[in-house]
Amino acid sequence: MNQTLKTGSDGRLLIGGLAASDIAGQYGTPVYIVDEDAITAACGAFTTALAKHYPGNARAAFASKALCFTYIYRVVQKCGFAADVASSGEAYTALRAGMNPEDLIFHGNNKTLSDLEYALENKIGRIVVDNFTELSTLDALCERLGKTANIALRLNPAVNAQTHEFVRVGGIDSKFGFAIGTGDALAAVRTALASKRLKLGGIHCHIGSQIMDSEPFEFAAQIMVTFMKRVLDETGYLLKELNLGGGFGVRYTDKDAPRGIEDAVRTAAETVVKTATELDFPLPLLMLEPGRSIVAEAGITVYTVGSVKEIPGVRTYVAVDGGMGDNPRYALYGAKYDAVLADNPHAPRTRAVTVAGRNCEADTLIKDIALPELKPGDLLCVLTTGAFNYSMASNYNRVPRPPVVMVKGGETFVAVRRETFEDLTRCDL
Ligand code: LLP
């Protein structure tokens, strides 16, 4: 079972020390439950590992696409984290939460003009420029507004990581970033340096998500530092910041064996130090941008079992009161999850079933999982749903999105309330 979850003396599943079934009883189902202490611990693990393994300055930023609502920015800010935002909407939420605009890193391969205007007007700390179109658009916008922009460049180191094709973005065939291998990256540096309005601070890469191995991070770190040295040699300009993105894998099921935060950070940090030392290049400010590894294992979703339908010799469908509207990851990536009964998480898994969602198509949450005998009314907890569940939820079939209930120090509170029917029609004219 997931490392942050325990069982109480009465055998029920606990999250943050409280029984999941009590929380479901109080707030209804489906409900996302997020253990704030687990998030704080994961942030702390990044900070500690960076301090231990990187002799230069280092900082972590939370990739807020993984879990985005006002309160979460307060949690990570308290942990000393910066934040990656991938739209003006995420930036707006972060600023509303009270984050320092200096601490925001604005990403995206196709930021709109209004995104860029928003970033400039709100003095966002770093705009990570993705491509030549954006370089010239931003330069022209700065000129029109009489502003300068602090930028980094998103580079593509062409590292192919073993992960799902849809989240593998660091190979050469990617919509993101200036490829180093084609010469685009160096050309982008020269273009940025030629502009009086663009202040180039550093470079960024993100090679993919849910990566278990260390090699892709080692390759990326090595290629990026080598590129920084090349920029110095060929242009005389010292890039001072290196952001290696996120991508550290987590444990969804028994088959996943993540290396752990300490080990993942050590690999990246040591490779930067080793490469910089070999090349006699000054240690840059090292940034990491974890999303999933901060929040995934801190969250569960509790559902109520509804219909159970057995097709003899074929399959048994156990349907729950949520589905692809609150967790689209099976539909998108064929993602695998584990689930347990809230009141008896260690009950023998006697039966292979498919957990179906309520949405009006072949909506699946977990395909072919061994679970105990389930009956209508049982509370089923899907584990490791803290990342890319709430943030990717939709109102498909006009199903209101579940609330996000936080657990902290043995107390619960609502960070995002359950949607109402009025919310569903709020924008309808
Ligand atoms: N930095 C950048 C620029 C990113 O694009 C991402 C994730 C991260 C950091 C954080 O990566 P993480 O540590 O969370 O792996 N929706 C997909 C995941 C998409 C990840 C997109 N970028 C999923 O549900 O698996």
Side-chain angles (χ1 to χ4, degrees):
M1 206 191 307
N2 186 300
Q3 64 195 34
T4 64
L5 304 171
K6 299 193 167 68
T7 47
S9 53
D10 57 3
R12 292 190 297 165
L13 179 73
L14 302 180
I15 174 162
L18 300 177
S21 50
D22 286 345
I23 299 172
Q26 183 176 351
Y27 297 99
T29 62
V31 57
Y32 300 109
I33 308 177
V34 176
D35 178 358
E36 180 171 337
D37 298 330
I39 294 177
T40 306
C43 289
F46 270 96
T47 307
T48 307
L50 279 170
K52 183 165 161 201
H53 297 294
Y54 195 68
N57 285 331
R59 181 119 196 252
F62 173 55
S64 61
K65 70 207 75 183
L67 185 65
C68 185
F69 47 84
T70 303
Y71 184 74
I72 206 75
Y73 289 102
R74 301 204 172 121
V75 176
V76 297
Q77 186 184 31
K78 238 191 278 169
C79 295
F81 268 47
D84 145 5
V85 294
S87 70
S88 314
E90 286 183 356
Y92 168 81
T93 312
L95 294 174
R96 176 175 186 265
M99 279 206 73
N100 183 348
E102 258 299 304
D103 285 343
L104 299 184
I105 307 163
F106 204 125
H107 284 290
N109 67 304
N110 190 22
K111 302 174 198 75
T112 63
L113 201 56
S114 69
D115 281 332
L116 293 173
E117 263 169 13
Y118 188 88
L120 289 176
E121 296 295 349
N122 288 284
K123 302 189 171 54
I124 300 295
R126 277 277 172 277
I127 300 174
V128 182
V129 177
D130 183 273
N131 52 66
F132 288 110
T133 310
E134 190 175 283
L135 262 181
S136 55
T137 307
L138 183 60
D139 193 34
L141 185 64
C142 284
E143 185 170 16
R144 174 154 68 75
L145 300 177
K147 291 187 186 293
T148 58
N150 291 324
I151 67 163
L153 296 176
R154 166 93 184 230
L155 304 190
N156 180 351
V159 173
N160 260 318
Q162 287 301 313
T163 186
H164 193 284
E165 183 192 351
F166 291 3
V167 295
R168 192 195 305 142
V169 291
I172 189 68
D173 185 2
S174 165
K175 72 172 181 172
F176 290 106
F178 300 97
I180 295 177
T182 60
D184 277 2
L186 193 58
V189 169
R190 291 190 196 281
T191 305
L193 293 180
S195 160
K196 286 192 287 297
R197 295 161 287 266
L198 303 179
K199 307 290 170 202
L200 178 61
I203 54 173
H204 173 282
C205 71
H206 170 76
I207 55 176
S209 198
Q210 184 61 358
I211 300 169
M212 296 293 180
D213 303 336
S214 55
E215 286 83 6
F217 292 106
E218 283 169 30
F219 290 148
Q222 207 177 7
I223 292 167
M224 294 291 276
V225 176
T226 305
F227 178 77
M228 293 172 100
K229 165 71 172 162
R230 190 165 158 221
V231 168
L232 181 62
D233 289 347
E234 297 203 14
T235 70
Y237 189 73
L238 179 65
L239 292 165
K240 295 206 175 101
E241 296 174 18
L242 172 61
N243 186 331
L244 292 177
F248 312 106
V250 304
R251 188 173 173 283
Y252 286 97
T253 71
D254 282 347
K255 296 215 167 62
D256 298 321
R259 295 178 299 136
I261 291 170
E262 151 91 26
D263 195 46
V265 172
R266 185 178 51 76
T267 302
E270 283 182 356
T271 310
V272 172
V273 174
K274 183 165 175 282
T275 313
T277 309
E278 280 167 9
L279 297 173
D280 195 22
F281 186 80
L283 283 186
L285 165 69
L286 175 62
M287 296 202 72
L288 296 176
E289 257 170 7
R292 191 190 310 267
S293 52
I294 297 291
V295 290
E297 295 183 30
I300 66 171
T301 308
V302 190
Y303 301 95
T304 302
V305 172
S307 58
V308 178
K309 167 175 149 170
E310 190 174 345
I311 310 171
V314 179
R315 188 184 300 283
T316 297
Y317 286 98
V318 173
V320 296
D321 55 354
M324 64 193 294
D326 59 78
N327 181 358
R329 297 193 69 258
Y330 177 80
L332 281 170
Y333 319 112
K336 295 192 168 42
Y337 283 93
D338 193 11
V340 296
L341 270 173
D343 283 337
N344 192 1
H346 296 299
R349 295 171 180 251
T350 51
R351 195 175 193 197
V353 300
T354 283
V355 180
R358 61 169 293 173
N359 286 96
C360 214
E361 58 177 278
D363 171 16
T364 301
L365 276 176
I366 310 176
K367 185 149 190 226
D368 296 333
I369 177 177
L371 284 176
E373 209 61 35
L374 294 169
K375 55 181 188 323
D378 283 343
L379 293 174
L380 187 69
C381 303
V382 176
L383 308 179
T384 322
T385 60
F388 302 110
N389 275 226
Y390 171 74
S391 67
M392 293 176 79
S394 76
N395 287 127
Y396 184 36
N397 296 145
R398 288 248 150 155
V399 176
R401 276 173 291 201
V404 181
V405 173
M406 304 294 299
V407 184
K408 183 190 181 193
E411 309 260 318
T412 61
F413 57 96
V414 179
V416 182
R417 68 162 169 75
R418 187 182 298 283
E419 283 179 339
T420 61
F421 290 155
E422 295 81 72
D423 291 327
L424 296 175
T425 52
R426 199 177 42 205
C427 301
D428 297 2
L429 302 180

